[in-house]
Amino acid sequence: MTEIKFLLLSGFFLYLGAFFYLYMIQRSLLYHPSHLTPKKEGFFIDLKNARIWVERIESDTKKAILYFPGNTEDYWIDPWKLAKMFPGFTIYFLHYPGYGASTGKPSQKAIYEAALALYDRVHSDHHHLVSFGRSLGTSPALWLAANRPVDALILTTPFDSILHLGQRRYPLFPISLLLKDPYESIRYAPQVSCPTLILLAENDQVVPRSSSEKLIAAFPRRVPERVTLSGSDHTDIIDHPDYASVIRNFLARVLSEDSTPIHSRASASVRAKSTSTPELLSTV
């Protein structure tokens, strides 16, 4: 009996140690800051705990894309490749806190605040604004569209929440008690009213299809358009031959130079909302 108690007690402390270890290293598992991104042309935005660099690739246009990248995608090395895919748009490529030329440390709160600050900095300079995110970047892109008036939302390989993905990956731990940055996109989707395009990879090995499906089902106000690119995976979807054309066709349909942009015809309540910082979802 003594040996059984010892084994049980040892197992408990091992589990507890593993729990606290996972708690301590969780952000190093979630974030993979790239510092290879060249800083060419753009501007800094000063936040309370970070100085955020925004790479701006300009065109002679009144249309702009606010781009929120994934952790390790190719555009960190060559954001101008993205701009070449969408001629006629000014591209704002956000360096997350702790990434690229930005200072600070990455977190859900810091990245959401940076997304909001970017919008508030540039929205009056453009006739149309598009919020566009990939992978990790789909959460700030969606959150921005839920809290600021934009003309279109584009999400590539989105997830419903990091909380759900984390629980799936670590089923033995109470992830809801552990996770600092849950990125619960599924909670923001009901607030999005603009035209939305979702691109899925046929063979996504990072974001389970069930996760993306749960997110899509959470858009009650406007059903998103969805396109699954055959033969693609989570990493190479942006290299699919139809990737850029699907997005360009979507934007050509939902944006028009002679139409009044959503962010200009917003109601008084939305205008008032856009002058103040919305409450961020609390994190544990």
Side-chain angles (χ1 to χ4, degrees), residues 110-130:
I111 291 175
Y112 282 4
E113 287 181 344
L116 188 70
L118 170 58
Y119 178 97
D120 291 346
R121 171 74 175 265
V122 306
H123 77 95
S124 62
D125 297 334
H126 299 281
H127 191 72
H128 288 297
L129 283 179
V130 177

Side-chain angles (χ1 to χ4, degrees), residues 59-241:
S59 298
D60 184 14
T61 176
K62 292 184 179 181
K63 296 181 292 184
I65 291 174
L66 310 185
Y67 191 74
F68 305 98
N71 253 322
T72 58
E73 65 182 59
D74 292 345
Y75 298 149
W76 277 109
I77 300 174
D78 186 8
W80 306 277
K81 179 181 177 182
L82 177 71
K84 292 175 183 177
M85 294 170 66
F86 305 108
F89 285 84
T90 295
I91 307 294
Y92 294 98
F93 187 95
L94 181 69
H95 290 203
Y96 301 140
Y99 284 66
S102 295
T103 64
K105 296 181 179 180
S107 69
Q108 174 182 307
K109 184 175 185 293
I111 291 175
Y112 282 4
E113 287 181 344
L116 188 70
L118 170 58
Y119 178 97
D120 291 346
R121 171 74 175 265
V122 306
H123 77 95
S124 62
D125 297 334
H126 299 281
H127 191 72
H128 288 297
L129 283 179
V130 177
S131 185
F132 186 171
R134 180 187 172 201
S135 192
L136 178 66
T138 61
S139 193
L142 194 156
W143 181 84
L144 180 63
N147 286 280
R148 293 290 190 265
V150 297
D151 296 280
L153 172 65
I154 301 171
L155 305 175
T156 299
T157 60
F159 51 86
D160 60 334
S161 78
I162 292 293
L163 174 62
H164 293 162
L165 293 181
Q167 192 64 70
R168 180 188 180 102
R169 185 170 182 178
Y170 302 101
L172 298 180
F173 296 98
I175 297 300
S176 61
L177 300 178
L178 180 153
L179 196 61
K180 297 178 181 178
D181 301 331
Y183 286 104
E184 295 181 279
S185 295
I186 195 168
R187 294 180 61 181
Y188 327 137
Q191 303 171 45
V192 175
S193 58
C194 66
T196 300
L197 172 66
I198 293 180
L199 296 107
L200 305 176
E202 182 182 32
N203 304 312
D204 198 323
Q205 297 178 335
V206 176
V207 177
R209 178 58 59 87
S210 60
S211 177
S212 298
E213 295 289 354
K214 288 178 182 177
L215 178 66
I216 292 171
F219 283 82
R221 299 177 67 179
R222 183 191 290 264
V223 178
E225 296 183 33
R226 53 182 291 175
V227 176
T228 301
L229 298 179
S230 61
S232 65
D233 60 31
H234 191 85
T235 301
D236 67 12
I237 186 172
I238 61 176
D239 297 318
H240 191 281

Side-chain angles (χ1 to χ4, degrees), residues 214-271:
K214 288 178 182 177
L215 178 66
I216 292 171
F219 283 82
R221 299 177 67 179
R222 183 191 290 264
V223 178
E225 296 183 33
R226 53 182 291 175
V227 176
T228 301
L229 298 179
S230 61
S232 65
D233 60 31
H234 191 85
T235 301
D236 67 12
I237 186 172
I238 61 176
D239 297 318
H240 191 281
D242 295 332
Y243 182 73
S245 61
V246 167
I247 297 173
R248 286 195 296 262
N249 290 338
F250 168 75
L251 292 176
R253 282 186 283 108
V254 301
L255 302 183
S256 174
E257 286 292 347
D258 59 359
S259 65
T260 304
I262 289 175
H263 75 271
S264 291
R265 65 171 184 262
S267 65
S269 61
V270 173
R271 288 183 183 277

